[in-house]
Amino acid sequence: MKRIVTIQDISCVGKCSLTTALPILSAMGMETAVLPTAVLSNHTAFSSFTFHDLTDEIPKILEVWKQQKFQFEAVYSGYLGSIRQIELVRKLQKEFTEPSALLFVDPAMADGGSLYKGFTGQFAAAMQKLCSHADVIAPNLTEACIMTGTPYREDGDELYCRDIVKRLADQGAKNVILTGFSYGRGEIGALTYDRDKDEFRAYVNEKLPVVFHGTGDIFASVTLGGLMNGFSLGNAVRLAVDYTLACVRATMADEHHNWYGVNFEEALPYLIDRLRSLKGKAENVQKREGSQNKRDADSRPAENSVHTHVV
Ligand code: PXL
């Protein structure tokens, strides 16, 4: 079993950050250690909330982890509350992982053209630096614009998005996933860029005319879970886009649904079925073609692909 660590807040109510990452990554077969950065009564999209910062606790935890010689195969950072916490993510990467481990950064600091409540330009600059050391980053368009100094355009076309994604990779991130990407109305997905292969890919699926909180954290958790299960970036992103849609559908199916989080729980069987099917395909290919070709197996198109482009 792979052991990974995720560093983000725990919002007691309003499904996001740790309360979604943990069940999703567990369902995907990861032993998931957590470093809670803060405890909130509920996430910050509610009209009021408490915020108890845990930054001072983290160095003490890391001290004991060092004594215990804990190591992780991936570090996944989400919503962070301070520049010191960003520095602690780097410490985790440097001191608690092998060079082959994955650093996955969801900048989780902005949306809709502006920074979330409480975040500053200085924080954004520190996040940009962290992203430059990452293997995979998953910003939305607002975060990507902030980190590249690009004016935010909601109606930006594919070329506009590609340019931003490429510039993020030029800053150092090996793989960039621009979330919330679409070619037009009625669809949503992600645009990815793999720096080593110099390859853009886009995958989109149906966009329902609703907005729910917490879908970004679901998307990021599933993408990381897919990568840690050995899937290609393309297949991990397809799985994440499709599962996020399944969560939104499950939410809509309940007439008493909440605005503050999606029903990812009832969609978990779908996630596990897709995971099994992708792993099954990889094993079949391995049997047929021998172990040398195994790494190619997960690059086959997933079922239910709606719209895939390699450019
Ligand atoms: O989903 C990102 C997120 C995580 N944690 C907290 C948040 C948000 C977004 O608003 O408020 C506390």
Side-chain angles (χ1 to χ4, degrees):
M1 204 174 195
K2 288 186 175 161
R3 176 193 278 159
I4 65 176
V5 58
T6 181
I7 172 164
Q8 44 189 322
D9 71 277
I10 181 150
S11 288
C12 302
V13 174
K15 299 178 268 185
C16 70
S17 35
L18 280 184
T19 59
T20 53
L22 199 49
I24 286 172
L25 286 162
S26 300
M28 296 183 83
M30 298 296 119
E31 178 188 339
T32 309
V34 297
L35 259 185
T37 53
V39 181
L40 291 86
S41 53
N42 40 265
H43 62 58
T44 60
F46 288 89
S47 57
S48 61
F49 55 89
T50 67
F51 185 101
H52 179 72
D53 187 272
L54 292 174
T55 310
D56 289 342
E57 198 61 25
I58 296 175
K60 294 187 241 166
I61 293 174
L62 294 186
E63 193 54 47
V64 175
W65 284 6
K66 192 145 241 179
Q67 287 162 18
Q68 297 295 332
K69 298 189 168 53
F70 293 148
Q71 288 277 305
F72 304 98
E73 292 183 57
V75 174
Y76 162 28
S77 75
Y79 186 98
L80 302 174
S82 64
I83 291 174
R84 254 183 83 206
Q85 289 181 353
I86 294 177
E87 289 159 2
L88 287 164
V89 176
R90 277 288 278 160
K91 186 176 165 76
L92 265 177
Q93 183 192 27
K94 284 183 191 155
E95 299 179 21
F96 293 87
T97 68
E98 299 288 334
S100 61
L102 199 84
L103 174 60
F104 186 107
V105 178
D106 177 355
M109 61 179 176
D111 205 0
S114 48
L115 287 165
Y116 290 144
K117 285 173 210 166
F119 287 92
T120 61
Q122 250 183 330
F123 179 93
M127 181 57 76
Q128 183 182 338
K129 199 161 160 218
L130 176 64
C131 286
S132 74
H133 296 288
D135 298 286
V136 185
I137 62 172
N140 59 34
L141 184 59
T142 305
E143 292 156 348
C145 284
I146 292 171
M147 292 193 288
T148 53
T150 312
Y152 173 74
R153 274 178 41 204
E154 220 170 307
D155 61 346
D157 62 6
E158 189 182 354
L159 272 184
Y160 166 82
C161 292
R162 274 213 221 180
D163 174 60
I164 294 171
V165 160
K166 177 77 168 54
R167 281 193 288 130
L168 281 171
D170 289 344
Q171 289 177 11
K174 291 198 187 88
N175 296 278
V176 180
I177 305 171
L178 181 69
T179 64
F181 173 78
S182 78
Y183 292 100
R185 279 172 200 276
E187 52 179 36
I188 191 158
L191 174 70
T192 64
Y193 179 70
D194 178 326
R195 206 183 57 197
D196 287 345
K197 293 186 187 157
D198 188 24
E199 182 181 88
F200 287 97
R201 271 171 185 260
Y203 177 73
V204 296
N205 203 333
E206 184 183 355
K207 177 175 171 27
L208 297 170
V210 286
V211 179
F212 290 114
H213 204 80
T215 48
D217 296 343
I218 290 168
F219 177 88
S221 302
V222 175
T223 305
L224 173 65
L227 292 172
M228 295 311 289
N229 271 283
F231 304 157
S232 64
L233 184 67
N235 266 5
V237 164
R238 260 183 221 130
L239 182 62
V241 169
D242 293 348
Y243 176 64
T244 307
L245 174 60
C247 294
V248 174
R249 284 202 179 117
T251 310
M252 296 303 291
D254 178 355
E255 59 175 319
H256 301 296
H257 62 257
N258 297 305
W259 62 271
Y260 57 73
V262 292
N263 186 347
F264 73 87
E265 297 92 336
E266 283 186 325
L268 280 173
Y270 169 83
L271 177 64
I272 293 167
D273 283 352
R274 281 282 301 271
L275 189 70
R276 279 209 193 111
S277 137
L278 277 166
K279 287 183 91 149
K281 270 187 200 164
E283 272 160 26
N284 285 340
V285 170
Q286 192 181 9
K287 271 187 214 143
R288 266 202 317 274
E289 298 173 10
S291 58
Q292 204 187 342
N293 292 334
K294 181 181 179 306
R295 290 176 67 217
D296 296 331
D298 67 345
S299 64
R300 283 151 198 252
E303 45 312 11
N304 303 331
S305 294
V306 170
H307 201 152
T308 307
H309 297 259
V310 184
V311 271

